[in-house]
Amino acid sequence: MSQAAIADAIENNIDRLIEIWTSIVRDDPRIESDDALSKPELIDHVPAIVQEICALIRKNEVPDVRSSHEARANVYIRYQQGYKGRDLIRELSLLRITLLDHLKEISEDKEPLFDSEEVHNASKILNLYLDEEMRYAISVYGSAPSAPEAPEAKAL
Amino acid sequence: MISQEEFDRFVRDYNEDYRLLLTRASRRHYDCLITSFMVLKDFYNMIQVSYDSGQYKFNDLPYPFSFRADYVLLRNLGFDDEEIANIFGFLHYVKETQGMEFEACLEAGTLEMCSRVR
């Protein structure tokens, strides 16, 4: 059926996937930075990231700087939250595994709506997207910029 | 090629403009905001593409362009509950007036917007 069917199969399960990912992150003893975060703070941009990945899969488009806004937003927020860079990389790695596991699961349906090449294309897109975020995270954390201050009320 | 100082100024200008547009949305000044965000998105992409070239560093981190999902970000930016509701209200306003989501509008670009007002 196509890439669109794969994107739908991910998006229709987004709540369950985020729930699985949240639980794996919370249980991972190697991630320390999440301790101080509430569940909404931890989840934050992750659903939007998955949706942006799905939009790219639907269009069969290779992610780049211009099509990974949610990934960049996530790096910004994590940096502001005082999250350690290595913990961010680890949680992205866990998101990758969660999504790849789901792809495997839906491709093993008795009557799959897509062929192995389409699944392979979708996994390439999601891998490249998360690599794009990691690349950005590494360069931001490496250069340690100052995060901008909260604004003063501005006259229009 | 631009210098690091010029790049820093671009980031500062972007951050200021971003805050200004969100402030307008927070006060329900929605007129012409979509086109302003379109221009700002190009500016943001230019900054990120330049940064990605590896020739510059961020001395100040640019605000993320995306704000749809982000109550936490908007809180950090100093907006209160009513202002945040107005910012999210802008997204509804776009959907109602343009018949598509805010992000789709930005993607469609100015040509699509122009064809709608003709």
Side-chain angles (χ1 to χ4, degrees), chain B:
Chain B
M1 198 176 106
I2 61 168
S3 65
Q4 177 65 45
E5 288 71 27
E6 285 169 313
F7 182 74
D8 290 343
R9 201 165 57 240
F10 283 151
V11 174
R12 282 197 300 273
D13 287 347
Y14 164 79
N15 280 344
E16 198 171 304
D17 291 348
Y18 182 78
R19 280 164 27 181
L20 178 65
L21 294 193
L22 284 181
T23 303
R24 279 174 55 189
S26 77
R27 296 177 190 178
R28 301 184 62 84
H29 295 192
Y30 296 158
D31 289 344
C32 301
L33 255 190
I34 306 173
T35 41
S36 301
F37 270 112
M38 278 177 184
V39 175
L40 193 66
K41 183 186 174 190
D42 288 341
F43 192 19
Y44 178 78
N45 282 340
M46 186 279 287
I47 288 170
Q48 291 293 356
V49 168
S50 303
Y51 180 68
D52 194 59
S53 71
Q55 296 175 65
Y56 306 101
K57 63 174 188 165
F58 283 140
N59 286 314
D60 291 303
L61 201 53
Y63 292 124
F65 184 76
S66 166
F67 59 88
R68 172 182 288 280
D70 223 322
Y71 185 85
V72 177
L73 168 69
L74 294 172
R75 265 284 183 216
N76 285 346
L77 287 172
F79 294 105
D80 64 25
D81 284 345
E82 188 185 345
E83 290 168 330
I84 291 173
N86 287 340
I87 291 171
F88 289 147
F90 170 63
L91 300 175
H92 295 299
Y93 168 84
V94 173
K95 183 84 190 282
E96 273 178 23
T97 56
Q98 302 299 319
M100 58 176 130
E101 298 291 351
F102 173 64
E103 292 79 4
C105 260
L106 296 179
E107 186 96 355
T110 45
L111 279 179
E112 177 70 17
M113 300 284 296
C114 290
S115 68
R116 280 166 191 277
V117 295
R118 265 180 208 140

Side-chain angles (χ1 to χ4, degrees), chain A residues 126-153:
Chain A
L126 87 81
N127 273 300
L128 288 170
Y129 182 97
L130 292 171
D131 290 348
E132 191 68 40
E133 177 165 351
M134 287 182 181
R135 176 180 157 88
Y136 185 59
I138 288 167
S139 53
V140 165
Y141 275 82
S143 61
S146 55
E149 300 281 318
E152 297 289 321

